[in-house]
Amino acid sequence: MKQSLFKLISDALDENGRLPESFSLPKDPDVRVPFADGAEDGIGIYHMIAPEITDDIREGIKNAVTAASDGDNQRAEELFCELSKKISVIRAIDELQSYIIDNRDTLSAENMYHFAENEILCSPDKNCVKFGLSIMELFDISGNEKLRGAVTALAASDEFTLFSLFIMLRWENGNEYIFNAAKKVSGWGRIHAVERLVPETDEIKRWILREGVHNAIVPAYSALDCWSKSGAEELLRSDETLSDEDFHGIRDIIDALLDEGPCSGISSVENAEDALTRFLQKASGRTLDVTDYETVRGIRDYCEENADIAALCGEILGSEQCRECVKSAVKNGEGVELAKSLGIDVKPDVLAILEKDPEKHCYLCSYLMSDDEYRAKAIALFREKLPLSKMRAAPTMELGLGNEFAKEHCLDAIVQFLRNYPLEGADLIEASLQCAPTRNRNMALAALQSWVNAKQTPLSELLPDMFALLQRLKEIEPDEKVREKMEKLLNGEID
């Protein structure tokens, strides 16, 4: 019998009620690229249109609820599992709760309560736990200490935080429980908690200011909430000197607001340019670090048409203090893009960093590839540092995610740029073709196709040995799409 998810989570909690950073709920082995905890619901909420509630789904809700009301918990669980294949729990909540409320006179509240409690405490299925939490939201559990503790424990998992928050909102001092939950999660759970957290005390406002956007997903999701709830604008208007913690908190919120990729940010802030001006004025009188300067550059890029703000940014970024700070940071692999934008030559430092730890800093090779001398040095370095012959393995359907593929990821980092430089680093391409992850093979094939196109020469003539290798590899390639790319090269196709 599978262990209940509640027990799995509660057993993993530390003395502060937090889960280890490495904790993850069991994943479906049949899913090639599983979602991280909480990601499927989070992405659905922020980026997907809510699906239509069809008659089939309504019938599924009715049947599952009826079974639970009749006390047939096993049948109810089966029906809720089937329902979760048609619609996510988060999208079914409103319809589910509406049906229960509309039919409360004919449903057994006692049986519904016990079913929900059983799913919360005993189910090994994440969707059944969510359905249990969604039903329990309709009940007053203030007197059930065990169940309150279970909801609080489940809130520590990003997969269940949102569903636990819905219940906490109904509790006396519920905002305090939400605050505690927000501090114990770092992924999608924190995003949901910050959205629902009310800044009713100075402690909460200060935490939102300093920590609210610090999530492991994308800070931008919480930027607007943190701006409106933290008192950041009032602090910028104040004549008082900001503490380092408050200044950096405002900086991080502004930086997140400037990133409007996943959701609306700075464009939705009233009097945004005034706020940015005040931040720059505060920054001008401080000793700044490289992260501060990066935020100033972000403001400059966003407000490039505002001459006054551009001048303030130019003054800060053009200072000798800025250049010295950035030069120092680059030696540790920080602020490289900023340094490049300021006209600082980063290539010697980047090469030195790569020599020390190529796996950790492999992405930095991009700053070397456009220079003939440093490109050759980078290729030689990767050739020397990576155990290319030992990386050859049977091809798999693995994408190559996780620490166990650190060397493959490192190789992939440089191979993706080799497509622009025909015949350079051919041995790296050859090694990548023989790596287990599909990503490596795809990148290598893309580079080869690019070389063939650039030279307008079939692979069989351009690189006969590589052509022969590809013929052998095609016979054992498990990925149909990768095999098609191989066949294109083997057939001599040129774009």
Side-chain angles (χ1 to χ4, degrees):
M1 183 176 179
K2 292 182 179 180
Q3 185 180 38
S4 78
L5 296 182
F6 163 66
K7 186 172 188 335
L8 183 69
I9 290 168
S10 58
D11 286 350
L13 295 173
D14 64 18
E15 64 274 13
N16 297 311
R18 292 184 176 89
L19 290 169
E21 287 186 13
S22 60
F23 180 87
S24 177
L25 294 176
K27 299 295 187 285
D28 185 344
D30 295 329
V31 177
R32 185 180 176 192
V33 186
F35 284 101
D37 291 352
E40 187 170 10
D41 289 333
I43 293 170
I45 291 169
Y46 281 91
H47 301 291
M48 306 294 285
I49 298 173
E52 178 187 0
I53 304 296
T54 62
D55 290 340
D56 183 45
I57 291 172
R58 291 190 181 93
E59 186 69 17
I61 290 173
K62 174 185 174 182
N63 292 338
V65 169
T66 299
S69 175
D70 290 343
D72 190 348
N73 285 2
Q74 181 176 344
R75 178 59 177 160
E77 186 174 271
E78 291 172 355
L79 290 170
F80 274 118
C81 282
E82 286 300 314
L83 180 62
S84 68
K85 296 175 183 177
K86 300 175 182 177
I87 187 171
S88 67
V89 183
I90 194 66
R91 295 301 194 186
I93 285 182
D94 290 345
E95 191 71 24
L96 169 68
Q97 293 179 344
S98 294
Y99 180 81
I100 294 172
I101 292 170
D102 292 344
N103 295 276
R104 60 186 177 276
D105 293 337
T106 58
L107 296 172
S108 169
E110 181 179 1
N111 285 346
M112 293 295 299
Y113 181 93
H114 287 309
F115 170 76
E117 182 179 39
N118 183 72
E119 297 308 299
I120 291 169
L121 298 177
C122 303
S123 179
D125 183 274
K126 68 179 182 181
N127 290 314
C128 287
V129 175
K130 292 176 184 178
F131 275 122
L133 290 167
S134 301
I135 294 171
M136 193 58 73
E137 187 186 340
L138 301 175
F139 292 91
D140 179 6
I141 63 170
S142 56
N144 190 328
E145 186 175 343
K146 178 183 178 182
L147 200 49
R148 283 167 62 98
V151 171
T152 302
L154 288 170
S157 166
D158 288 297
E159 187 70 34
F160 301 119
T161 308
L162 179 58
F163 298 86
S164 299
L165 297 177
F166 291 150
I167 296 176
M168 291 176 179
L169 285 166
R170 296 171 56 87
W171 295 350
E172 185 178 358
N173 299 324
N175 194 57
E176 191 66 26
Y177 281 93
I178 293 173
F179 181 35
N180 288 330
K183 292 185 288 185
K184 293 174 182 176
V185 285
S186 59
W188 282 103
R190 176 166 290 193
I191 294 169
H192 298 314
V194 167
E195 181 181 353
R196 288 156 182 82
L197 188 58
V198 179
E200 59 187 9
T201 68
D202 288 340
E203 181 187 8
I204 293 175
K205 286 182 69 173
R206 186 165 57 253
W207 182 87
I208 293 174
L209 178 72
R210 299 178 179 181
E211 301 293 338
V213 296
H214 295 163
N215 62 66
I217 310 302
V218 177
Y221 284 115
S222 296
L224 275 175
D225 283 318
C226 290
W227 179 259
S228 63
K229 296 178 181 181
S230 67
E233 187 172 8
E234 291 79 3
L235 287 172
L236 289 176
R237 291 182 179 278
S238 170
D239 292 331
E240 295 183 12
T241 301
L242 294 174
S243 67
D244 287 343
E245 294 83 1
D246 288 349
F247 177 79
H248 289 151
I250 295 172
R251 174 203 67 195
D252 292 345
I253 294 173
I254 287 175
D255 195 57
L257 286 169
L258 291 169
D259 173 18
E260 297 199 279
C263 54
S264 181
I266 192 71
S267 61
S268 295
V269 172
E270 189 175 355
N271 301 318
E273 292 189 344
D274 177 67
L276 295 175
T277 299
R278 292 178 183 277
F279 173 77
L280 292 170
Q281 290 169 340
K282 295 279 188 184
S284 297
R286 305 180 69 90
T287 299
L288 304 180
D289 60 30
V290 68
T291 307
D292 299 327
Y293 288 121
E294 286 176 329
T295 299
V296 172
R297 185 188 66 149
I299 294 172
R300 180 198 66 186
D301 294 346
Y302 178 78
C303 298
E304 59 184 355
E305 296 182 3
N306 185 310
D308 293 335
I309 291 180
L312 274 173
C313 292
E315 183 179 333
I316 294 171
L317 294 174
S319 68
E320 188 59 30
Q321 293 91 332
C322 174
R323 293 185 68 84
E324 291 304 314
C325 175
V326 174
K327 285 179 181 179
S328 177
V330 167
K331 295 182 185 300
N332 296 315
E334 301 174 352
V336 177
E337 186 63 30
L338 174 59
K340 186 178 178 182
S341 74
L342 295 175
I344 298 172
D345 184 7
V346 300
K347 294 188 290 294
D349 288 320
V350 166
L351 186 64
I353 293 167
L354 282 171
E355 288 175 341
K356 290 179 182 177
D357 194 341
E359 287 186 23
K360 181 179 179 181
H361 300 290
C362 59
Y363 64 95
L364 291 177
C365 70
S366 62
Y367 294 97
L368 304 177
M369 301 305 286
S370 61
D371 183 286
D372 291 346
E373 177 186 352
Y374 278 93
R375 183 171 64 255
K377 290 180 178 180
I379 291 172
L381 187 150
F382 277 73
R383 181 183 293 132
E384 174 192 350
K385 297 291 186 179
L386 288 174
L388 298 179
S389 61
K390 295 180 180 179
M391 292 169 64
R392 293 170 184 164
T396 70
M397 297 296 287
E398 288 272 5
L399 286 178
L401 307 176
N403 293 331
E404 66 268 32
F405 295 110
K407 289 179 173 56
E408 287 81 2
H409 175 69
C410 184
L411 177 59
D412 185 65
I414 190 167
V415 165
Q416 65 180 308
F417 295 105
L418 291 178
R419 69 178 64 188
N420 299 318
Y421 306 101
L423 306 184
E424 296 187 40
D427 55 333
L428 301 183
I429 299 289
E430 180 181 328
S432 195
L433 281 172
Q434 298 175 82
C435 285
T438 57
R439 180 174 171 83
N440 286 89
R441 305 197 299 279
N442 271 313
M443 282 294 179
L445 291 168
L448 286 178
Q449 189 65 58
S450 180
W451 291 1
V452 165
N453 296 342
K455 294 292 187 179
Q456 288 293 292
T457 305
L459 184 64
S460 57
E461 297 178 25
L462 190 65
L463 292 166
D465 290 344
M466 194 81 75
F467 180 83
L469 172 64
L470 211 56
Q471 285 181 313
R472 297 194 299 273
L473 294 177
K474 177 198 161 191
E475 300 305 316
I476 60 172
E477 176 55 54
D479 190 309
E480 182 179 348
K481 292 183 178 179
V482 174
R483 196 161 55 249
E484 289 175 358
K485 293 176 183 177
M486 290 178 171
E487 289 173 349
K488 182 178 180 180
L489 285 161
L490 292 172
N491 292 336
E493 294 183 34
I494 300 174
D495 294 334

